[in-house]
Amino acid sequence: MNIEDLANYFASASISFENAIQQVMEPRTKNIEKYHECASIIIISSGLARFTINETSYKLKTGSVLHVGPSTVISEEVLSDTKCSYILIQYRILENEVGIFPLYTSHFIMNIDNQKKVFQYAMELVENFRSTDVYMKLKCKSLLLSFIVELIHALKNDSKKQPAIDLEKIKGYIHQHYAEPITINEIASNFGIKRRYLTSIFQRYIGSSPIEYLTAYRIHKAQELLLLTDKQIIEISNSVGYVDNLYFSRVFKKKTGMSPTEYRKYRSFLTKEKVNQD
């Protein structure tokens, strides 16, 4: 996840706080699937767990922060012999901004070293949400913004601890060759490192695996083509590295919550609405 993009998103979108709760799961247990209407931020305070979002699994540990888009089904499983504790914060943005800010509908993981202040603001959100104080909503809105600022600050500080390999060059290679049928083994080999090490570095400093980063970039480029060109879906699929058009559509919907056709129509509708308002 690009920290600057994340900061710009939260600075520009009209964010409203929904709720904040703390959950504690017993060792080696599973929770039934739950439907979440709005976007969620999950912060692991202790333990090890697997969260499955619309059939995609994310392994989370202490210090992991998972952003989950709206209209999703989430299931949880504790992988450790100790309890897993996490905080769930939910928020919304305005309906007419959903198509403008793709990060709102995206699922991505972040890892932070210095979690103390991030957890502090998250717990304050939980405590204030429980309160019957008449000013609770105002306090929670303020705390949510403070939590986001502290999270981005922690991510920025961690990003300064750069690994031995040049991640920017690797990302540049992906940006240059995303339209080709490249593999993670090929990327690792091109930079003289093992696939396992490449994956661990991406997880540590970017918060996603190399294949997740490649997929996210391909979907991002597909979104641009859907908005800026009249190309058919099959052409766009081939242009961003997918030979199988049906597989591309499935991946696109999993990442954005909409099919390519629905996304194009929705954004076109928003553009016309804005023109009419002006």
Side-chain angles (χ1 to χ4, degrees):
M1 169 52 53
N2 184 287
I3 300 172
E4 188 173 324
D5 289 346
L6 189 66
N8 286 334
Y9 159 57
F10 281 121
S12 304
S14 303
I15 297 170
S16 62
F17 171 78
E18 286 294 314
N19 61 66
I21 58 173
Q22 184 179 30
Q23 296 274 26
V24 179
M25 294 177 61
E26 294 298 321
R28 303 292 175 182
T29 57
K30 293 182 180 180
N31 275 357
I32 60 173
E33 294 182 338
K34 298 176 184 175
Y35 177 77
H36 294 264
E37 185 179 346
C38 49
S40 306
I41 300 174
I42 298 168
I43 310 102
I44 305 296
S45 54
S46 65
L48 180 67
R50 179 187 294 114
F51 283 71
T52 302
I53 318 296
N54 293 350
E55 300 184 355
T56 300
S57 294
Y58 299 86
K59 193 174 181 180
L60 307 180
K61 59 183 180 179
T62 304
S64 294
V65 180
L66 177 65
H67 182 278
V68 183
S71 304
T72 52
V73 176
I74 304 177
S75 61
E76 309 145 12
E77 178 184 3
V78 179
L79 302 176
S80 59
D81 293 323
T82 57
K83 292 181 180 181
C84 177
S85 176
Y86 69 89
I87 296 170
L88 174 72
I89 298 170
Q90 295 190 304
Y91 74 96
R92 297 178 187 271
I93 65 174
L94 294 177
E95 189 175 346
N96 63 359
E97 293 183 345
V98 173
I100 301 172
F101 299 108
L103 283 181
Y104 178 67
T105 57
S106 300
H107 315 319
F108 53 89
I109 188 171
M110 301 162 278
N111 291 298
I112 52 176
D113 276 341
N114 189 2
Q115 312 112 357
K116 187 175 180 179
K117 286 188 177 180
V118 175
F119 289 156
Q120 178 184 327
Y121 282 117
M123 277 306 303
E124 285 188 46
L125 268 171
V126 172
E127 291 164 5
N128 274 274
F129 182 66
R130 292 172 182 162
S131 171
T132 57
D133 191 323
V134 68
Y135 300 111
M136 180 273 290
K137 287 186 177 181
L138 180 60
K139 288 181 180 179
C140 285
K141 184 175 183 179
S142 174
L143 284 168
L144 176 61
L145 293 176
S146 296
F147 164 79
I148 291 169
V149 170
E150 191 56 45
L151 173 61
I152 291 172
H153 180 67
L155 290 169
K156 190 174 181 181
N157 283 342
D158 285 355
S159 70
K160 293 176 182 178
K161 305 168 187 176
Q162 291 298 320
I165 60 174
D166 192 335
L167 267 179
E168 291 305 314
K169 285 186 178 180
I170 298 177
K171 288 162 62 179
Y173 181 87
I174 292 174
H175 296 173
Q176 185 178 353
H177 298 278
Y178 72 93
E180 303 168 18
I182 57 174
T183 65
I184 303 308
N185 283 334
E186 179 184 335
I187 296 171
S189 177
N190 187 72
F191 288 89
I193 57 177
K194 293 182 178 181
R195 174 184 176 134
R196 186 173 179 179
Y197 180 63
L198 176 65
T199 300
S200 68
I201 291 298
F202 260 73
Q203 290 281 13
R204 177 68 185 81
Y205 293 96
I206 296 180
S208 63
S209 69
I211 191 64
E212 289 169 341
Y213 183 86
L214 171 60
T215 299
Y217 191 76
R218 282 172 166 168
I219 297 304
H220 171 69
K221 300 305 287 188
Q223 288 174 310
E224 289 183 347
L225 291 172
L226 285 166
L227 298 179
L228 302 176
T229 74
D230 294 322
K231 286 184 176 182
Q232 295 183 352
I233 305 302
I234 191 169
E235 291 181 89
I236 293 175
S237 172
N238 292 332
S239 297
V240 297
Y242 291 97
V243 178
D244 187 335
N245 176 47
L246 293 178
Y247 178 69
F248 161 72
S249 295
R250 288 199 299 271
V251 173
F252 189 95
K253 187 166 186 176
K254 182 179 285 188
K255 294 295 182 182
T256 67
M258 293 179 271
S259 70
T261 302
E262 290 169 339
Y263 182 82
R264 174 175 269 168
K265 287 180 179 179
Y266 183 72
R267 287 303 302 270
S268 176
F269 170 76
L270 287 180
T271 301
K272 288 179 182 178
E273 283 287 299
K274 187 175 181 181
V275 170
N276 292 336
Q277 290 175 2
D278 293 343

